[in-house]
Every structure is written in structure tokens, then in C-alpha cells.
Amino acid sequence: MWLRRERPLRDRRLSRAHIVGAAVPVLDTEGHRGLSMRRIATDLGVTAGSLYWYVRTKDDVLELALDRVLGEVNADPEEPDWRHGLAALARNTRAMLLRHRWALLELTVRPNLGPNAFTLAETGLHLLSRAGFADADLDAAMATVNDQVVGAVIAEVAWRDTLTRMRESGAEWTQHATTAYLRDVAARHPLLAHRMAAGKGADVERDSERRFEFALSCLLAGLSATCDATIPSEHPQAAPAAR
Amino acid sequence: MWLRRERPLRDRRLSRAHIVGAAVPVLDTEGHRGLSMRRIATDLGVTAGSLYWYVRTKDDVLELALDRVLGEVNADPEEPDWRHGLAALARNTRAMLLRHRWALLELTVRPNLGPNAFTLAETGLHLLSRAGFADADLDAAMATVNDQVVGAVIAEVAWRDTLTRMRESGAEWTQHATTAYLRDVAARHPLLAHRMAAGKGADVERDSERRFEFALSCLLAGLSATCDATIPSEHPQAAPAAR
DNA sequence: ACCTGAACACCGTTCAAGT
DNA sequence: ACCTGAACACCGTTCAAGT
């Protein structure tokens, strides 16, 4: 996609920018299911076939849409404390992904070669290199943080979506078949049962954030320990100050 | 899905087991794109409509297929060293996901309520509880490990898939447009450029494993530090032995 | 109870033909 | 150069009708 330059413009009514501009709102409000080439076309007052003048497949549209929303994430590569910088980057990414939930799938289905993706990667690398990582470890550390964020938000979104879906289709938790199935599960899995009981009246919003922060501090502690072990002369402090 | 019990059998030619038995091989060899209700039906010598007697939507089929392959992951909840136990669970999960790449999408698109999913969750919780985690922290720790594994394998698979796709469609790395685009990117992003240069002749297989192990040890170090901080009386050892 | 056959309402993509 | 209109080859799902 990013290799195919947009055609020079003359008297046209469309452009890639127009197409993503139409696609993103549809994705935000109706999800992947709601987006079709025909839908984008009619929103732009045009025929479905026309889009193929600007874009080779529907996947191209999604790739463009992803890079657009990646542009919404901002992070400061010059933040003095690399831990704070990385944490901010992670939190901002999470917030963006919660605004554009469809983007998670695009982010994960292929590597990301758009300009905004590269910019974000560079600031992440910059922060981690200042932490003392280099070469293969720099790659690995960056990947670890990214993967944690993506994995966490994926799980969070999946959970939130089913909760709202269940709210829409009536409170199925209290259905007979459901309680029977869950009782069966609980009987076989004591720890799971204990956790399920605790999660009954939980606040999804707060819990998700707690978990995200737990994972983040856990990971930063692990990264600190790892880079201190590799380059012990870098940070001659008393304690790595986890959390 | 898991709430709708299978109908009692009489003289039928089909069952849910038959359906997943037909679906999984198609998914393994041809991916999501290759799987359609009509395809499953013809493979079973039957009409597409028939499947809807056993299953309510195509999503049900995918949910069943996911739980089947989750059953391939084995892990020992009684492993004495919880770190070893968790690492093994993580590695086995990764291996399974590399065998059934389509499963990643299913795993992430909704929470997972099949019997095999519950069993795996229980052994993970068991290992972490023996590490000293409890209540909300137990949840969070489990989620952190899961999310790391899922996030890492997603990125790995996305990367591998594009590599093979590029191999199939001719070596596009050396195309003029590609090199121009990448040179442009490299000019703007020094650290990225450095890493891209290093990744030229890399071995994907080995690198993926290295990264996975890096993330794993990083995370286990972070978890050890966290639980030692919470319950310092639990493990009165000299050092947490990271890596 | 279980399965067929045909239909419905969609898809993404292609491509001649117009302007 | 850019867009239309119509077609192609598919989808998932429904449902009367058969057995």
C-alpha cells in the first residue's frame, strides 16, 4: 500500500484522504461489519467501482484508516524519565485503541508500514535506547512493550464488547442454562470459581485500568532489572524503584 | 454457544464434532478466507443449510474450533517451580498458535468460554497463586502473562505471514519504489534505520524465539519483584534470580 | 428429527463503456 | 483521467417442503 503513490490530481471528486475520511466514522460507529466498499461509495456520492481507482483492495482502505488513527497517539521522545515516557506512550495508545476498537484488528493482522506507525516506533526506540538497551535487546524490549499493550487492550475490548452485547440481548447471566453451565465450571475449577464470584459486581472501567497499570508496572520493573543486569554501570542507584 | 446444548442424537449424519472436524483442517490449510459454510457442508457431503441445525451461526463453528485447538495445549499445574510452569504454559500456547494461526483471531475477538479454555485458565491461576498472588492481583498477573503471549504471537505471525507473502509475489524488497520509500523512512528515523539494517539477513525463526524468551523472562522478573514486594515473607531468598 | 433446494440480501472486484 | 453500470463469483442465513 505505502509503496503505491497516489495519482496526481486533476479534476477528480475523490482522493485517498476522502476515502479514509468516510471509512473511519463508519468503522467507529458500526465496526468492521458496517464497512463495505458500497457503503463508502454511497457516503461519498459515488459508485463502488470508483474507489478502485484510488485503492487496489478493501484492505488498502483499512491500512490507510489505521495509519490515520495512529496519528492520534502522541508521545514525547524527550521525556527525561524513560519509564514515564514509555508509560505515557502505552496509555495513549490504549486510549486511542479504545476510541477506535476496529483498529486493533488492523494493527494485528499485518505489520504496519505507514508513516505514523514509523514515527511512533522511533519514539519508543528512542526512549528505550536511553534506558540502556541496544541492538537485538532494543528490538526485543520494544516488542515486549508493544505486545503487552496490544494484548491487554485486545482482551479488554473483547470483554467489554461481550458485556454490552449481553446487556442488549437481555440479562443472560441469570438464565437457567447459563447458571447451570457456570456452576458446572465452578465445581471443576475452584480458583476460577473464586475469581468469578469476586468479579460479579465489578466496575469494568476501573478494573481494566487497574489491570493495565499492573501489567505496565510489572513490565517496566522487568525491563529495569534486565537492562541493569546487562549494563550495571549505567544506573548505580540503590534500588530500581519498581512501581 | 456453550450454553446451547447439542441436540440428542438419533439417525443423523452430522454432529458438532463432525463440523469442527471438517472446519479445523480447512482453517489450517486455507485460513479464514478458505472457510465457508458451503465449504464445510460439501466436505461433509451435505447442504449448507443443514449445518444450521447444529449451530446457530458461523461464529459458533469458529468458537468450537478454537476450543478444540486449545485442547492441544497441555501444562502441568503441579510443576514445583511456578516460573517454570508458567514459562512452559506460555511456550506451549505459542507453539499451538503457530500451528493454528487462525486461532489467534478467534482467541482475541471474544472472551473464551469453552471447557478447554477454562481448564487452561485454572492451571495458570494455580501456578500464580502458588507464587503468592491472590485476589485482584491474581487476576491481573494472569492477564498480564496471557496478554504478553497473545500480543507476541500476533506480532510474530503478522510478520511471518508478510514475509511468505512477499516471497510468493517476488522479492519486492528490491523494487525501486520500495527502496525509495524505505530510504525516506530511514532518513527521518535514525534508530529505526539502524534496526532495519540489522534485520536484513536475520533468521525469523531464531529471532522470534529470542524475542519471545526475552519478553517471558522480563515479565517473570517483573512478576517476581511484584509478588516479593507484596508478600515479602513468602520467599526469603537472597535474590529473585531474574533470567 | 433432520436435511434439501431455493431463495434473499448482501459482499469484493472487474471492466467495458462513457465523458 | 476519472467515473458509471452492470456483471461475476461468491458470501451467511432463512425457510418452506420433503422424508
Side-chain angles (χ1 to χ4, degrees):
Chain A
M1 165 79 247
W2 302 105
L3 308 176
R4 293 186 290 283
R5 286 252 310 265
E6 184 158 25
R7 298 181 130 91
L9 27 73
R10 284 185 179 259
D11 50 303
R12 55 231 196 73
R13 334 219 285 256
L14 258 49
S15 71
R16 286 184 178 176
H18 287 134
I19 293 175
V20 290
V24 169
V26 176
L27 286 166
D28 285 343
T29 58
E30 310 182 37
H32 273 100
R33 286 250 161 85
L35 189 77
S36 69
M37 295 304 266
R38 284 171 170 82
R39 170 66 189 271
I40 298 175
T42 58
D43 282 8
L44 291 171
V46 111
T47 281
S50 322
L51 303 176
Y52 289 87
W53 186 257
Y54 299 91
V55 121
R56 221 181 41 182
T57 74
K58 188 189 179 183
D59 263 23
D60 279 6
V61 177
L62 292 168
E63 220 168 327
L64 290 166
L66 174 62
D67 205 64
R68 156 131 348 158
V69 296
L70 281 178
E72 296 177 8
V73 180
N74 35 22
D76 177 17
E78 305 307 332
E79 158 69 44
D81 185 335
W82 65 271
R83 266 172 284 245
H84 289 172
L86 271 184
L89 176 55
R91 291 193 195 102
N92 290 347
T93 305
R94 168 170 176 266
M96 180 250 117
L97 289 172
L98 290 176
R99 282 197 303 274
H100 308 287
R101 306 196 172 182
W102 52 271
L104 264 170
L105 182 58
E106 300 319 311
L107 197 60
T108 56
V109 87
R110 60 181 109 63
N112 224 304
L113 305 176
N116 288 326
F118 281 132
T119 305
L120 282 178
E122 181 76 9
T123 84
L125 288 174
H126 193 246
L127 288 165
L128 279 169
S129 76
R130 293 225 319 277
F133 289 104
D135 304 323
D137 279 359
L138 180 58
D139 275 347
M142 186 74 257
T144 303
V145 178
N146 278 338
D147 296 347
Q148 181 66 48
V149 171
V150 168
V153 184
I154 279 181
E156 176 177 352
V157 166
W159 183 241
R160 284 179 179 231
D161 282 358
T162 42
L163 281 184
T164 60
R165 215 179 302 141
M166 276 182 5
R167 241 186 290 281
E168 284 167 1
S169 70
E172 285 190 19
W173 280 115
T174 56
Q175 227 87 37
H176 181 65
T178 314
T179 52
Y181 181 69
L182 291 182
R183 191 169 39 228
D184 198 56
V185 167
R188 252 191 280 280
H189 306 299
L191 286 168
L192 215 46
H194 191 257
R195 293 286 71 222
M196 276 165 45
K200 269 297 183 200
D203 177 10
V204 191
E205 197 92 19
R206 256 184 53 81
D207 284 5
S208 299
E209 241 176 79
R210 258 187 56 87
R211 262 137 100 122
F212 190 81
E213 293 297 328
F214 179 96
L216 204 56
S217 72
C218 219
L219 201 61
L220 291 177
L223 283 172
S224 296
T226 304
C227 73
D228 286 354
T230 317
I231 318 125
S233 61
E234 191 82 7
H235 285 291
Q237 307 161 352
R243 291 251 204 186
Chain B
M1 165 81 249
W2 303 105
L3 308 177
R4 292 186 291 284
R5 286 252 311 264
E6 186 159 23
R7 297 182 131 90
L9 26 73
R10 283 188 182 258
D11 49 303
R12 54 229 196 79
R13 333 222 284 258
L14 259 48
S15 71
R16 285 183 177 176
H18 288 135
I19 293 175
V20 288
V24 169
V26 176
L27 286 166
D28 284 344
T29 58
E30 310 182 37
H32 273 100
R33 287 251 160 87
L35 190 77
S36 69
M37 296 303 265
R38 284 170 171 83
R39 171 66 190 273
I40 298 176
T42 58
D43 281 9
L44 291 171
V46 111
T47 282
S50 322
L51 303 175
Y52 289 87
W53 186 257
Y54 298 90
V55 121
R56 219 181 41 182
T57 74
K58 188 189 180 184
D59 263 22
D60 279 5
V61 177
L62 293 168
E63 220 167 328
L64 289 167
L66 174 62
D67 204 65
R68 155 128 353 155
V69 298
L70 281 178
E72 295 177 9
V73 180
N74 35 23
D76 177 17
E78 304 308 332
E79 158 70 42
D81 185 335
W82 65 272
R83 267 172 283 246
H84 288 170
L86 270 185
L89 176 54
R91 292 193 194 102
N92 291 346
T93 304
R94 169 169 175 265
M96 180 251 116
L97 289 172
L98 290 176
R99 285 197 302 275
H100 308 286
R101 307 196 173 182
W102 53 270
L104 263 170
L105 183 58
E106 300 320 310
L107 198 58
T108 55
V109 87
R110 61 182 109 60
N112 225 303
L113 305 176
N116 288 326
F118 281 132
T119 305
L120 283 177
E122 181 75 10
T123 85
L125 288 174
H126 193 246
L127 288 164
L128 279 168
S129 77
R130 294 227 317 278
F133 289 104
D135 304 323
D137 279 359
L138 180 58
D139 274 348
M142 186 74 260
T144 304
V145 178
N146 277 338
D147 296 347
Q148 181 65 47
V149 171
V150 169
V153 183
I154 280 181
E156 176 178 353
V157 165
W159 183 241
R160 285 181 180 228
D161 281 358
T162 41
L163 282 185
T164 60
R165 216 178 302 141
M166 276 182 8
R167 242 187 290 281
E168 283 167 2
S169 70
E172 285 189 20
W173 280 114
T174 56
Q175 227 88 37
H176 180 66
T178 313
T179 53
Y181 181 69
L182 291 182
R183 191 169 40 229
D184 199 55
V185 167
R188 251 190 282 280
H189 306 298
L191 285 167
L192 215 46
H194 192 257
R195 294 285 70 223
M196 276 166 45
K200 270 294 182 202
D203 177 10
V204 190
E205 196 91 21
R206 255 184 52 82
D207 284 5
S208 298
E209 240 176 81
R210 256 187 57 87
R211 263 137 97 124
F212 190 81
E213 291 297 328
F214 179 96
L216 203 56
S217 71
C218 220
L219 201 61
L220 290 177
L223 283 172
S224 296
T226 304
C227 73
D228 286 354
T230 317
I231 318 125
S233 62
E234 192 82 8
H235 285 289
Q237 308 160 350
R243 287 248 208 195

